[in-house]
Amino acid sequence: METELSKRLGVEHAIFGFTPFPAVAAAITRAGGFGVLGAVRYTAPGDLARDLDWMQDHTDGLPYGVDVVMPAKKVEGVTEADVEAMIPDGHRRFVAKVLAEHGVPPLADGEASGWRVTGWMEEVARGQLDVAFGYPVKLLANALGPPPADVVDRAHRRGVLVAALAGSARHARRHAQAGIDIVVAQGYEAGGHTGEIASMVLTPEVVDAVAPLPVLAAGGIGSGEQIAAGLALGAQGVWLGSIWLTTTEADLHSRALTAKLLAAGSGDTVRSRALTGKPARQLRTEWTDAWDDPEGPGALPMPLQGLLVAEAVSRIQKYEAEPLLGTPVGQIVGRMTAERPVREVFDDLTRGFERAVTRLDRIARRSRS
């Protein structure tokens, strides 16, 4: 599954695996793909350094990357406390009401929320980059489009390629103008923040819009046959995230959540603003239903919503409040029916790709005869 991009990065297969778990990212790299560690949850630089140290020891000298959440435009002088002060009291009362209705206990005295969407903050994201650039990362990806120009320049001076996610051809063209090296065309089916256009339509539109820049197809991809389809549409690789959530190396800290993912069908997700304030595909739960209910207060814009619900999400996860328990995940969740090691998932992807290519080659030969 080699492409020009995979050869450039020195990987055997053009499968880019995004994950918040270092053990998963390292396993993807060792399997012949390109593991990308999500950094947004690391609010303490020392924690990110610890896990990148671990990655260094478990990737056999093979390449890997990091993913941050960073706005293209700098916001000077705004602290997390400033943003917290903008959250209306009515929304805080609504959170308390939903949790009380489901009997979710509070965190213990002095216990801090373990789930904070703070990577968007300028100082946090730049702190993550200060750490990451101390390691031989080969790719910097940004979930909110191109990072600031100085960050792109900083990466390029270190020989690091920069990727940015796009949900439309218009966004992709802006990314190219900002000096991005790789555009990830993320379709509507994907988990997390996503746009309105499905992958089958989006991928070739983005390929045409930014040629000759390489494009990765993302969203709704969880089989080798789907990978072959993405490459047939002009992509030079695929960007997979959701499929790794039920691998044995993933550390969800919740058997109940893993069980919900394994039981979910492709129709059991919803694009909701409940988690971050931006439309993000996730498991549909009573938590997302509450925020999407027209009778409720509605989600706040990003980043207010993420800060508002941070403690609530930690409480839901800690106490495994099943009706409220969810996670960002794409429509491919319907294929995630068993816990398997990353290597087994990866082998299935490569075998499926071979089957698809063989089938198409057979059709092409018949057409020529």
Side-chain angles (χ1 to χ4, degrees):
M1 206 183 300
E2 277 191 341
T3 66
E4 290 182 16
L5 180 60
S6 68
K7 291 178 182 178
R8 182 178 180 184
L9 285 167
V11 294
E12 184 179 1
H13 300 295
I15 297 175
F16 293 71
F18 163 78
T19 174
F21 309 116
V24 175
I28 292 167
T29 286
R30 291 197 307 272
F34 192 96
V36 182
L37 179 65
V40 69
R41 67 191 180 98
Y42 295 98
T43 56
D47 292 342
L48 178 57
R50 176 202 63 214
D51 282 357
L52 287 176
D53 283 339
W54 189 93
M55 289 275 293
Q56 277 293 105
D57 292 338
H58 292 84
T59 47
D60 300 335
L62 298 169
Y64 62 90
V66 295
D67 177 279
V68 297
V69 178
M70 194 175 193
K73 296 180 180 179
K74 296 180 65 172
V75 180
E76 300 286 359
V78 178
T79 67
E80 186 174 330
D82 295 331
V83 178
E84 289 266 15
M86 302 177 190
I87 297 173
D89 289 339
H91 281 72
R92 295 188 188 277
R93 289 193 295 270
F94 181 74
V95 170
K97 174 177 173 288
V98 174
L99 295 178
E101 288 174 349
H102 289 83
V104 183
L107 298 176
D109 289 344
E111 184 178 0
S113 166
W115 190 93
R116 301 290 282 176
V117 182
T118 54
W120 64 272
M121 295 289 291
E122 186 75 18
E123 67 272 19
V124 176
R126 286 184 179 274
Q128 293 165 352
L129 292 175
D130 288 341
V131 173
F133 284 145
Y135 293 81
V137 298
K138 299 300 183 184
L139 176 72
L140 169 66
N142 189 39
L144 291 182
D150 68 294
V151 172
V152 175
D153 291 341
R154 185 180 178 191
H156 286 166
R157 288 197 302 271
R158 286 165 172 75
V160 176
L161 298 183
V162 181
L165 276 64
S168 71
R170 176 170 55 87
H171 291 155
R173 281 189 285 267
R174 289 179 182 174
H175 297 357
Q177 291 166 2
I180 297 302
D181 304 292
I182 302 166
V183 176
V184 181
Q186 180 164 278
Y188 172 85
E189 308 95 323
H193 297 129
T194 182
E196 303 281 352
I197 306 172
S199 298
M200 184 65 72
V201 175
L202 178 66
T203 300
E205 285 187 353
V206 171
V207 168
D208 290 343
V210 302
L213 285 185
V215 172
L216 301 178
I221 300 174
S223 73
E225 289 82 358
Q226 290 166 319
I227 293 174
L231 298 189
L233 293 172
Q236 286 199 31
V238 292
W239 177 274
L240 308 184
S242 297
I243 197 72
W244 315 111
L245 288 173
T246 52
T247 56
T248 54
E249 293 91 343
D251 190 11
L252 288 177
H253 297 296
S254 172
R255 296 306 305 169
L257 180 54
T258 298
K260 289 186 76 171
L261 288 169
L262 295 175
S266 56
D268 293 327
T269 69
V270 63
R271 285 175 76 246
S272 172
R273 299 178 185 270
L275 196 60
T276 67
K278 283 183 174 290
R281 186 171 297 284
Q282 55 202 281
L283 278 181
R284 182 175 181 178
T285 66
E286 293 188 24
W287 177 256
T288 61
D289 286 349
W291 283 103
D292 296 338
D293 187 341
E295 300 297 319
L300 296 168
M302 190 181 191
L304 300 182
Q305 182 72 11
L307 295 174
L308 167 66
V309 305
E311 182 181 328
V313 172
S314 289
R315 289 166 60 182
I316 291 166
Q317 292 176 343
K318 176 178 179 179
Y319 299 109
E320 296 194 324
E322 199 275 341
L324 304 175
L325 188 62
T327 186
V329 68
Q331 291 179 329
I332 200 64
V333 70
R335 295 186 63 95
M336 297 155 52
T337 57
E339 289 184 84
R340 300 185 297 164
V342 166
R343 184 76 212 204
E344 186 175 325
V345 173
F346 206 94
D347 288 345
D348 272 358
L349 294 173
T350 55
R351 282 194 294 265
F353 177 82
E354 290 171 358
R355 286 193 301 269
V357 171
T358 299
R359 187 161 53 243
L360 292 173
D361 184 57
R362 189 179 305 121
I363 293 171
R365 287 200 304 270
R366 284 201 300 265
S367 299
R368 289 192 296 267
S369 62

